[in-house]
Amino acid sequence: WRWDPSDIGRRLLVSGPPGSGRTTTLATLARSAQEAGLPVAVIRGMGHDDRSQPGFGSAAVLSTRDVDQLITLRQRHHDLVLLVDDADQIGDDCAMLPVLTEIAELVDRDRGLLGASSNTASLAVRFRGLDVDLARRRTGILLTPERGDGDLLGARLTDVPPRLPGRALVVARGDVTEVQVFAADDRV
C-alpha cells in the first residue's frame, strides 16, 4: 500500500495508542514523498522538543511555534506534503492552528497532501481539531486497532490484526486493508 491521492484523497489520519508507531508511520510517509520528489514539512507536536528527529530525511522539521517558517514553505511549495505529528496536542489557542486549517482547505486545489497523527483515545472524545476534521474524511491508518476504532473513520471492523509493532489497518472509502508499516529509517 502507498498513499495515492487519486485513490484515497489528499488528507490522511494516522491514529493509534501511544507507542503504536504513529511517528514512524509519518516518517515513512515523509521518506516516500521525498523519494517521489515532493517537498515535505513535518510539524512536531508539543511533546517533541527535538526538531532534528532522525527518520524524516530531508523534510523541514518544525515546531508548533514555527508559524512563519511554515507560511514561507507553503508559499514556495503549493504542493507541500505536510505531516503533523501528535495533532491532538494542538489546542485551539495554538498560533499554528489557523495556518494548518487553511492548508487543509487548500490541498485539493494546490495538489498538496496533509497527514496528521493522533492518539486514538484522545480522538474518540473530542469534537474539534485538525485530527478530528481529518477523521471526518473517513480515510486513515489505524495502528494496533481495537474493534471499535474503525468507528472513528466510519468503518466496521470485524477482525483486528494481531498487536504487533507497525501492524495497521488502512481505511479508505469504507474499505479496510491490513498493512505492515516498515520504518523508513531504523533510527526512528
Side-chain angles (χ1 to χ4, degrees), residues 12-183:
L12 182 70
L13 176 70
V14 176
S15 184
S20 62
R22 296 186 313 254
T23 301
T24 299
T25 301
L26 289 183
T28 301
L29 292 170
R31 297 293 285 253
S32 177
Q34 290 165 21
E35 289 171 7
L38 298 170
V40 178
V42 177
I43 307 296
R44 300 298 310 270
M46 302 296 281
H48 302 283
D49 292 328
D50 180 12
R51 291 198 272 166
S52 64
Q53 169 86 21
F56 291 112
S58 62
V61 180
L62 309 172
S63 79
T64 55
R65 296 178 298 277
D66 297 325
V67 176
D68 291 337
Q69 286 125 321
L70 178 58
I71 291 170
T72 299
L73 279 169
R74 180 66 176 77
Q75 289 171 336
R76 285 187 195 144
H77 306 284
H78 290 284
D79 60 344
L80 183 68
V81 176
L82 179 60
L83 303 172
V84 182
D85 198 11
D86 293 331
D88 53 311
Q89 295 178 9
I90 298 175
D92 291 342
D93 60 344
C94 179
M96 182 72 77
L97 187 58
V99 177
L100 295 173
T101 301
E102 182 173 338
I103 290 171
E105 292 170 359
L106 297 174
V107 294
D108 292 314
R109 182 193 81 184
D110 295 338
R111 305 183 57 77
L113 298 172
L114 174 64
S117 70
S118 182
N119 181 323
T120 306
S122 173
L123 184 63
V125 297
R126 293 183 17 262
F127 296 100
R128 63 180 182 214
L130 178 67
D131 54 334
V132 174
D133 291 342
L134 290 179
R136 288 185 182 122
R137 299 281 182 158
R138 306 213 181 283
T139 301
I141 299 173
L142 299 172
L143 293 157
T144 59
E146 299 289 332
R147 196 168 301 278
D149 292 349
D151 296 342
L152 296 170
L153 299 175
R156 174 103 25 225
L157 302 183
T158 54
D159 292 316
V160 294
R163 296 184 68 83
L164 299 170
R167 191 61 57 98
L169 296 175
V170 174
V171 178
R173 297 188 176 129
D175 294 328
V176 179
T177 305
E178 187 174 340
V179 297
Q180 177 68 44
V181 177
F182 292 98

